[in-house]
Amino acid sequence: MSYSPDDRAIVYIVDDDEALRRALDRLFRSVSLETRSYGAVREFIDAQRPDLPGCIVLDVRLPGINGLEFQAQLGDLGINLPVVLITGHGDIPMTVRAMKAGAVDFLPKPFRDQDMLDAVSTAINRDRSRRAAEDLAAGLKDRFATLSMREREVMMLAASGRMNKQIAGELGLSEVTVKIHRGAAMRKMGARTLAELVRMADALNLAREH
């Protein structure tokens, strides 16, 4: 596993063991990953984070708030980075709790370098997928915002399975006018087919059920 400059990604190391932080820093940089290291959760929270795909390698036992508690708070803090947990005192209930909370992996110390690299690779890929989905959703919302109110109504009804004649009756329009609005909606949304328009409406949760 190695990353090219076009695949920039960052690993945030949160562990109060300075020697381990340095070792992980060397390991991740050996495969061209960027790193930031912190000795406590508060340092990580207060730091600026670049807008890059990445993940957090997080020790369970930390001063102040522990790793499991911090993992549970990530969503409330608006931090969507996947987590790889590490610990020198792991047990089965702790592992189950971590994985249920969404951890990518839970590695007991000492861990093999390859196991860590595999876990981080999985976590970064998960973050890339999340970011791509969010970018797609944001693009759809931006395009939907360009539609007129009537075009939006027609799009929603078409996505609910209505035929042009039914839409016309429901909105008090002629079928020709409905076709014009539907065509305009498809053009503005970048949908080549009605099926694509329906998928976009589903992604935007627009379909109306009656």
Side-chain angles (χ1 to χ4, degrees), residues 54-56 74-83 126-127 130 134:
C55 69
I56 306 170
L74 287 173
D76 292 338
L77 293 168
I79 300 171
N80 297 311
L81 292 163
V83 173
R126 181 182 295 184
D127 194 44
R130 175 191 64 80
E134 288 180 352

Side-chain angles (χ1 to χ4, degrees), residues 58-61 85-91 94 106-110:
L58 179 64
D59 192 11
V60 169
R61 296 183 182 271
L85 282 162
I86 55 177
T87 182
H89 309 277
D91 54 35
M94 186 184 292
F106 190 98
L107 301 178
K109 302 174 185 177

Side-chain angles (χ1 to χ4, degrees), residues 134-178:
E134 288 180 352
D135 287 346
L136 178 61
L140 286 177
K141 289 178 181 177
D142 288 344
R143 280 176 273 167
F144 185 69
T146 68
L147 270 59
S148 70
M149 186 60 67
R150 190 62 86 186
E151 289 163 356
R152 295 181 190 184
E153 290 177 327
V154 170
M155 178 178 171
M156 287 187 286
L157 290 168
S160 298
R162 307 293 202 284
M163 304 296 290
N164 286 340
K165 184 176 182 179
Q166 294 172 308
I167 297 173
E170 189 160 335
L171 297 180
L173 303 171
S174 70
E175 282 190 64
V176 172
T177 301
V178 168

Side-chain angles (χ1 to χ4, degrees), residues 181-193:
H181 287 312
R182 195 179 78 173
M186 291 177 64
R187 184 179 67 256
K188 291 179 181 179
M189 292 300 296
R192 291 168 295 181
T193 65

